[in-house]
Amino acid sequence: MIYVLIERRIAEGMATTYDESARDMLQQTYAVPGFISGEAYEDMADNHHRFLLCKWRTSRDWQKWLHSAERAELINRFAPILQEPEKITLLAV
């Protein structure tokens, strides 16, 4: 099992749009093989700094999703919402 920490910086005025889009994306991820769970967090000192901590069965499952056309399509929706590209960190248990 692995954890994936996704860090995102949201553009000014886009927090509500981000929250709605992120919730939809997380819902769709529940159907992806190997996905176990995901939790969203907001930086208490900066509400434009968000984190998503996801649990995956294997790194192979995560890599398959990371490089899938479905994820690419979902991430493209975030492009106008983010200040910079998301940062992804893989964590071992």
Side-chain angles (χ1 to χ4, degrees):
M1 181 173 16
I2 67 160
Y3 286 89
V4 178
L5 179 64
I6 302 172
E7 183 178 354
R8 296 180 178 137
R9 290 219 164 260
I10 303 163
E12 191 69 36
M14 298 301 288
T16 301
T17 303
Y18 171 82
D19 290 340
E20 292 169 2
S21 296
R23 196 170 18 259
D24 289 344
M25 184 175 184
L26 188 56
Q27 285 289 104
Q28 292 181 36
T29 308
Y30 276 100
V32 175
F35 181 80
I36 297 171
S37 65
E39 297 177 352
Y41 299 93
E42 181 178 318
D43 186 332
M44 291 176 65
D46 179 0
N47 71 342
H48 292 94
H49 192 197
R50 304 296 175 84
F51 300 89
L52 182 61
L53 183 62
C54 300
K55 187 187 303 185
W56 288 82
R57 189 179 57 210
T58 67
S59 60
R60 186 175 186 173
D61 291 328
W62 160 250
Q63 291 295 325
K64 187 173 180 182
W65 171 244
L66 177 64
H67 299 293
S68 70
E70 294 86 357
R71 185 175 192 280
E73 181 182 323
L74 293 171
I75 291 301
N76 282 338
R77 287 192 224 162
F78 280 127
I81 299 171
L82 301 180
Q83 287 181 340
E84 58 193 51
E86 64 184 7
K87 179 182 174 188
I88 298 172
T89 305
L90 301 181
L91 305 168
V93 177

